[in-house]
Amino acid sequence: MRNKLEGPVGRLMLSLCTQTTFSLLLYHAYSLTDTFFVANGVDGTASGAVGIFAPVLTLVNGISSTLGTGGGSVISRRLGEGENLKCRRVVGCMMFVWLLSSTIITVAGLALLEPLLDVLGCTSEIRPYALDYGRIMLLSTVVSTGFSGIMRAQGDIGYSTLQWSGPVLINLVLDPVFIYGFRWGISGAALATLIAQLFSAANSIYYFFFRKKTPCRVTIRDICWNAPACGEIVSVGLPAFLGSLGGSLVGTLGNQVLGAVGGTAAISAFTIVSRVQSFASTPFSGVMQGIQPMLGFDFGRKNYARIKCTMRYALIFVLAYGGFAAVTLYFASDKVIELFAAELLSPGGTALRVLCLALVTAGLMPIVQAYLQALGRGRQVLFLSLGSVFLIRLPALLMAGVFQTVDGVWWALVASDWLIALWAAMNYINLRGAIDEKPDKK
């Protein structure tokens, strides 16, 4: 039987990349609209509280991704080997580690919330909003993951999709109701997130504990520490955690620098602009996820001509789309910021006009990462990801702080993105020779 990944490259890419991009767009639409409702329903300063607390949520998501990515990889292999009992142990250990980690984060975060906000670069104007938002978000930490990756690893695509799409849709509905209808302000936004996550938790409980068709159905007794299982999970999922840790550090340092040189307005403006950028960048991640199975499949059967064709199409698309997105946002910058918070038009418009320039080359890194993963260069992917944070982005932010100008921060971020793209391109050029020299398998 012909494998689905053997179809024409262009048509296959269109199918796979469209599906993944649409899924990611739904998630980023939630993030964008959440910020929109907070900025319009409360004020622009309140949106700064969302940005201030973002590094904490990034770290929490990093732990969840580590367990989901690592656990999913281990479980898929165990199921292939027919080791269902070992799968139960992995799921039980994964749940134990998550409950322990999330409880520690919640208790420590609530007890040390005031000093935590200082570390995150919170200003006096943002603090009241950040306290209300942070308390509820910390309380919701324990139910903030549904392990959709584990469901996907067991072949339950429907449940996996419901696990992340359900909370997104619930949040989109409840945000305006709580913020505009009940006038609960930023607390309403946090409560909407909490309720959405409770849906995800309830779905997980049913899936893992009660659903009879679940391959790795568990009981309360399975939720316990298991050193071998934890070692396997962490060994695979560690890159995801380190990447999130790096993102959390960048967010924290960015808020501190912006707070020092531009105050509340700069932090609030960056919160909005970063959400707009993330939404505009979604096709890059969608293409990355779409071409990964294609590249891996073709590398496995030594069809190097198809690999080169896939990479050529992907690179042409991300560069063309990046240029189009940058030009569009540049000329629409004021209109976009006015849509969220008119009082932030001056700092926000300037920030968006500068930061949108990074979109021109922003697609290079994810495409090169997909290429390296297909070649089995896991360590190089990890080094590339961590190096972009610790060797380029963090030093750039520190240098921007020395210049003591908000515009300097914007240009430092853009310059760091361009350097990261250049570094990714150099890695791709160096490794492309290894593919070019290999003959296709006849």
Side-chain angles (χ1 to χ4, degrees):
M1 182 181 293
R2 187 183 184 187
N3 193 290
K4 293 181 179 179
L5 295 174
E6 293 183 272
V9 172
R11 189 182 305 168
L12 189 58
M13 282 185 66
L14 182 62
S15 174
L16 294 177
C17 296
T18 300
Q19 292 174 28
T20 54
T21 300
F22 177 77
S23 299
L24 291 169
L25 276 174
L26 183 59
Y27 174 78
H28 285 296
Y30 146 69
S31 179
L32 193 64
T33 53
D34 191 57
T35 304
F36 171 82
F37 288 131
V38 170
N40 281 269
V42 189
D43 57 38
T45 302
S47 65
V50 178
I52 282 291
F53 214 72
V56 177
L57 302 181
T58 299
L59 184 61
V60 171
N61 289 335
I63 298 174
S64 174
S65 297
T66 299
L67 297 174
T69 302
S73 175
V74 175
I75 286 169
S76 60
R77 294 198 304 269
R78 293 291 179 270
L79 287 175
E81 296 166 0
E83 299 282 358
N84 283 35
L85 178 59
K86 290 184 178 180
C87 285
R88 287 175 52 188
R89 292 172 181 169
V90 171
V91 173
C93 178
M94 180 188 65
M95 290 182 174
F96 175 84
V97 173
W98 171 251
L99 290 172
L100 179 64
S101 302
S102 60
T103 300
I104 291 174
I105 291 172
T106 299
V107 173
L110 290 174
L112 303 171
L113 185 54
E114 289 276 6
L116 174 61
L117 292 179
D118 291 333
V119 172
L120 294 173
C122 189
T123 64
S124 58
E125 294 88 352
I126 294 176
R127 185 173 294 271
Y129 298 112
L131 286 170
D132 291 341
Y133 183 77
R135 289 191 185 103
I136 298 174
M137 294 304 292
L138 284 169
L139 286 171
S140 69
T141 298
V142 72
V143 292
S144 62
T145 184
F147 302 121
S148 61
I150 306 301
M151 298 174 181
R152 189 165 54 250
Q154 298 181 75
D156 288 318
I157 304 300
Y159 270 91
S160 174
T161 302
L162 177 65
Q163 194 65 1
W164 62 262
S165 62
V168 168
L169 295 175
I170 290 173
N171 211 320
L172 287 174
V173 172
L174 293 183
D175 257 348
V177 173
F178 288 172
I179 295 175
Y180 294 107
F182 295 162
R183 299 189 180 279
W184 288 346
I186 196 169
S187 296
L191 285 170
T193 301
L194 171 58
I195 293 173
Q197 290 171 344
L198 284 172
F199 167 84
S200 178
N203 192 47
S204 291
I205 291 172
Y206 169 74
Y207 179 84
F208 287 109
F209 290 91
F210 298 102
R211 182 172 176 264
K212 294 181 180 180
K213 293 182 180 180
T214 298
C216 297
R217 187 178 172 187
V218 296
T219 65
I220 295 295
R221 288 180 295 178
D222 292 315
I223 303 178
C224 60
W225 173 253
N226 186 306
C230 185
E232 284 190 282
I233 292 171
V234 172
S235 65
V236 177
L238 185 60
F241 174 74
L242 293 176
S244 295
L245 177 61
S248 182
L249 291 174
V250 168
T252 300
L253 180 60
N255 285 332
Q256 289 177 338
V257 172
L258 284 172
V261 303
T264 299
I267 294 175
S268 299
F270 183 62
T271 299
I272 294 173
V273 171
S274 63
R275 297 300 190 277
V276 173
Q277 268 195 303
S278 295
F279 183 79
S281 300
T282 303
F284 300 142
S285 299
V287 173
M288 174 190 180
Q289 293 185 19
I291 66 173
Q292 274 181 341
M294 296 176 60
L295 294 173
F297 180 74
D298 287 326
F299 185 75
R301 60 179 185 156
K302 298 181 173 56
N303 193 331
Y304 304 116
R306 279 177 62 91
I307 291 177
K308 288 183 280 188
C309 182
T310 300
M311 286 297 295
R312 183 168 62 253
Y313 286 167
L315 290 171
I316 290 173
F317 171 79
V318 296
L319 290 172
Y321 170 77
F324 170 78
V327 171
T328 302
L329 285 178
Y330 183 87
F331 288 105
S333 56
D334 287 347
K335 295 293 184 182
V336 171
I337 299 301
E338 282 183 337
L339 185 65
F340 286 85
E343 68 270 26
L344 297 175
L345 179 58
S346 179
T350 301
L352 187 53
R353 278 190 293 274
V354 175
L355 293 175
C356 73
L357 300 178
L359 290 171
V360 177
T361 57
L364 292 178
M365 174 62 85
I367 299 305
V368 173
Q369 286 177 321
Y371 180 77
L372 294 174
Q373 288 170 345
L375 269 60
R377 306 293 181 98
R379 291 183 179 180
Q380 195 159 354
V381 173
L382 179 60
F383 177 71
L384 197 62
S385 301
L386 295 181
S388 65
V389 172
F390 293 99
L391 299 180
I392 299 178
R393 203 177 298 278
L394 286 176
L397 281 172
L398 290 172
M399 290 179 62
V402 174
F403 293 116
Q404 292 291 305
T405 64
V406 177
D407 286 349
V409 176
W410 306 144
W411 282 109
L413 289 171
V414 171
S416 66
D417 282 336
W418 286 342
L419 286 174
I420 288 170
L422 177 61
W423 191 27
M426 291 171 62
N427 275 267
Y428 172 63
I429 292 171
N430 289 337
L431 281 174
R432 190 180 60 183
I435 291 291
D436 289 340
E437 295 172 3
K438 292 182 178 180
D440 280 358
K441 184 177 180 180
K442 302 299 183 182

